[in-house]
Amino acid sequence: KGARAVLLVVGFWHVKVVGKQEPNVGAIVMNHFTWTDGLFAAAFLRARPLAEEENFQNWALAKCAVALNMVLFSRGGSPEARQAVRKVIGEQATKAAQGLEEPLFVFPEATTKDLKTLIPFKDGAFAPGVPVQPMLLKYQWTNCDPCWAVSGPKTLMLLARMLLRFHSRIELEFLPVVT
């Protein structure tokens, strides 16, 4: 409910949802543009977010990670760290596909980018071989691009721009499960 409240404050009063979340999938994957993407996932999905541990060093964000039952990992950069992440994803996705846990929620590109670009996916959510459900975020904007790409505005400027908009539009679309 807290995630939905934040979305209301930044102008997302009406969110169009197309399709539905399917049961017994190991992961839900979606495109990643900005900081509000995770809030949409928290507000509209029954899923456990997969997130980089280093992003939750702040005490307030650490509390949010616990409240959302996040699956945290350390990217590290070494081959061992990547293998550890793959192992965690595999274990959690398998449990979810068996109905023992909520599915993982993953941004398969592992970074943000603009609304017009598709970059290669990391294969972590797909590697366990369990069903995966893709989901699309479709931001509909005219004067305030919500993207948080490297060349885009910093966090506080983006927040200010979103707060100054009267109304923002988005569509969430659940796609067919991929096996």
Side-chain angles (χ1 to χ4, degrees):
K1 293 184 180 192
R4 186 65 182 116
V6 173
L7 291 169
L8 289 168
V9 168
V10 294
F12 291 101
W13 303 338
H14 175 72
V15 176
K16 182 178 179 183
V17 179
V18 177
K20 67 181 181 77
Q21 181 176 337
E22 297 295 337
N24 299 326
V25 296
I28 297 172
V29 296
M30 74 182 212
N31 45 343
H32 189 21
F33 302 114
T34 188
W35 63 275
T36 56
D37 300 345
L39 294 173
F40 285 110
F44 292 94
L45 295 177
R46 293 176 320 280
R48 301 175 65 206
L50 178 72
E52 191 173 354
E53 182 171 64
E54 290 78 5
N55 292 329
F56 295 88
Q57 299 302 314
N58 172 296
W59 69 270
L61 292 177
K63 296 290 184 192
C64 289
V66 170
L68 292 172
N69 197 20
M70 286 185 165
V71 177
L72 299 177
F73 68 91
S74 179
R75 188 170 285 176
S78 69
E80 294 81 17
R82 285 191 289 278
Q83 282 300 102
V85 173
R86 289 176 69 84
K87 181 179 179 193
V88 167
I89 292 171
E91 290 170 354
Q92 295 299 318
T94 300
K95 287 180 185 177
Q98 295 169 347
L100 303 173
E101 294 277 358
E102 294 290 342
L104 284 178
F105 164 66
V106 180
F107 295 121
E109 296 159 310
T111 189
T112 57
K113 78 253 169 258
D114 63 42
L115 291 172
K116 299 174 185 161
T117 307
L118 182 64
I119 59 177
F121 285 5
K122 306 290 185 193
D123 67 350
F126 304 94
V130 297
V132 174
Q133 184 170 22
M135 182 179 161
L136 290 176
L137 281 178
K138 299 177 189 176
Y139 287 92
Q140 300 157 358
W141 60 276
T142 51
N143 298 322
C144 178
D145 180 352
C147 291
W148 188 6
V150 173
S151 62
K154 299 292 183 208
T155 308
L156 289 178
M157 178 55 77
L158 184 58
L159 177 60
R161 287 170 53 183
M162 293 177 91
L163 286 170
L164 292 172
R165 284 188 51 90
F166 181 68
H167 177 67
S168 296
R169 300 171 60 92
I170 189 164
E171 181 178 306
L172 309 179
E173 182 177 356
F174 289 96
L175 299 174
V177 174
V178 178
T179 53

